[in-house]
Structure formats: C-alpha cells, structure tokens
Amino acid sequence: MDPERLIQCPYDKNHQIRACRFPYHLVKCRENNKKIARELATCPYNARHRVPKQELSLHISSCESKVAQELEEAASGSHNRTREITDFQCPPPQEDWDADAEESPARPFVFGTGYLHDGNLNTDSSSSKGMSAIYTTEAKEPALSEDVSVVMQLA
C-alpha cells in the first residue's frame, strides 16, 4: 500500500487522510465523534476497516484482508509448525534446589555486617568504623559556593 495514498475517514466523509497517518487519525476522530463511533464496528481482520454494525457480517465474508491472511497461512504452513511445537517435551531437570539447600544452608542476612571473599563472616570492627566515618562525613552540610551566597544576598 502506498503510504501517500488518500483514504476517506469513516467518521467524517470530508476527511481525506494519508495512509501512513490513518491509524492515528482513526483514534483521534473516534474520540471526537463518539455518536458515530457507537454505530461502527471494527473488522476482525483489519483494524483500519470500520463499517456499520449491520454490515459487519457482509464485510467479514468479503474482506480483502481475510483473503490475504488465509493465503499467508496456507503458504507458510503455520498449522504444521503449531503441531511441532505442541509435540515438544521438556528434558528432565538436572538440578535439585531442595537438595542443595540441605547440603549448605545459607547464613541469614544481618544488616551492617559483610562477608569476605572466602565465605567467612567479616567481624572486623575497624572496617565498620571506616564505613561510619564515611557516612558521617557525607551527612555534614556542604559549604555554600560563592554563587549561591551571592544569590542569597540579592534576595
């Protein structure tokens, strides 16, 4: 389909929209014409097709998108592909998480303590003092820069 081709809006017959902008226009025009929108139905094969509800069954039987979709399915053989997927059997699992948990139970997490790389608990008090020093220095109020103090004087 040519993206520059003009298509007539189903909500307002005076609207001629380029094909590339048509889906966006449909959304906007449907919101602006709610009364007409209630009378129109959307084609199940192509959302760009809006027809009166009384004519929907006639449109579905003769919709060009339905024909194109059926031809596409027949050419790709999608029915055979679906059967292959449903016949697939998952291999049995190789791992047992319950058995792993019983062999080496995890230590509970305690906030403020850490683990060394070899798995031993880090109880060194000097490292925690170092961390608290970092937090206390960050908690101090930063000095005002000259720009901020000038602005404060002007106010």
Side-chain angles (χ1 to χ4, degrees), residues 7-13 15 22 25-26 36 40 48-51:
I7 302 174
Q8 185 178 23
C9 173
Y11 299 106
D12 187 345
K13 303 299 180 191
H15 292 175
F22 193 66
H25 177 81
L26 281 177
I36 297 172
L40 296 179
R48 294 179 177 197
H49 296 170
R50 305 288 165 89
V51 294

Side-chain angles (χ1 to χ4, degrees), residues 51-69:
V51 294
K53 289 182 180 180
Q54 307 88 308
E55 299 175 13
L56 182 61
S57 59
L58 175 65
H59 172 80
I60 289 173
S61 63
S62 62
C63 180
E64 66 225 19
S65 298
K66 175 184 176 184
V67 174
Q69 185 179 11

Side-chain angles (χ1 to χ4, degrees), residues 76-93:
S76 67
S78 63
H79 299 294
N80 295 338
R81 220 176 328 155
T82 305
R83 181 169 291 141
E84 290 173 13
I85 292 172
T86 57
D87 292 341
F88 177 75
Q89 295 292 324
C90 293

Side-chain angles (χ1 to χ4, degrees), residues 1 5 10 43 49 51 66 70 94 106 110 126 136 148-149:
M1 179 189 326
R5 183 175 65 106
C43 172
H49 296 170
V51 294
K66 175 184 176 184
E70 288 174 350
Q94 299 291 327
V110 179
S126 65
T136 55
V148 175
S149 60

Side-chain angles (χ1 to χ4, degrees), residues 112 121-133:
L121 185 60
N122 181 5
T123 57
D124 184 13
S125 61
S126 65
S127 65
S128 61
K129 286 181 185 174
M131 289 301 286
S132 64

Side-chain angles (χ1 to χ4, degrees), residues 102-119:
E102 291 171 4
E103 289 174 10
S104 59
R107 289 184 223 116
F109 174 77
V110 179
F111 185 75
T113 62
Y115 293 100
L116 296 176
H117 293 292
D118 62 356

